[in-house]
Amino acid sequence: GGETPGSADQVTFDPTGTGLFSTNVQDAIIEILGKTTTQYSTDVTLIAANWSGNRYVVSNNNIKISSFVYVDIPDDLTQTQYNAVASANLACVNQTSGSVTLEAFGDVPTIDLPITIVVQNKNQ
């Protein structure tokens, strides 16, 4: 937070995780999808027992096949939860109308993890 918003061409990626700011990413998303977008945000708890192998399906009626969906982590995670999210290396790997599948490319979480699913839909 606190960074000055910019356009998509101002967003840079730093693989160390220090150079990509959420305000710039949000601006880039809006620019890519068009100026008229609707954003939905929902808090979800990934229940440790509900993983299927290294995948977890999150259902939400706001998700459309054309939605841009990304995962955010709450500011109030405990250190243990934060370590589990970081170790999981989560990514959205499949999307249908009404759901998104997350995959843990690292360690499958063994504790319940609160996350936020953010859905951007272009208005028609």
Side-chain angles (χ1 to χ4, degrees):
E3 294 81 24
T4 303
S7 64
D9 62 345
Q10 295 171 320
V11 176
T12 59
F13 177 69
D14 175 358
T16 64
T18 61
L20 188 60
F21 302 109
S22 61
T23 53
N24 288 346
V25 171
Q26 183 64 35
D27 288 345
I29 291 167
I30 290 170
E31 186 172 320
I32 290 166
L33 292 176
K35 301 298 182 202
T36 55
T37 60
T38 304
Q39 178 173 299
Y40 304 94
S41 176
T42 185
D43 295 327
V44 176
T45 299
L46 304 180
I47 306 298
N50 291 352
W51 284 86
S52 177
N54 63 340
R55 292 193 170 197
Y56 198 104
V57 176
V58 176
S59 297
N60 184 291
N61 290 335
N62 293 315
I63 299 172
K64 301 183 183 347
I65 200 74
S66 61
S67 298
F68 181 81
V69 180
Y70 63 96
V71 176
D72 198 6
I73 56 172
D75 293 334
D76 60 351
L77 289 181
T78 66
Q79 188 64 48
T80 300
Q81 290 169 324
Y82 181 82
N83 290 344
V85 168
S87 294
N89 193 16
L90 296 176
C92 299
V93 295
N94 189 33
Q95 181 173 322
T96 63
S97 185
S99 71
V100 65
T101 302
L102 305 178
E103 185 167 333
F105 284 91
D107 300 322
V108 175
T110 58
I111 61 172
D112 296 349
L113 295 177
I115 62 166
T116 301
I117 298 290
V118 181
V119 179
Q120 284 270 358
N121 288 323
K122 186 172 182 179
N123 295 337
Q124 300 298 323

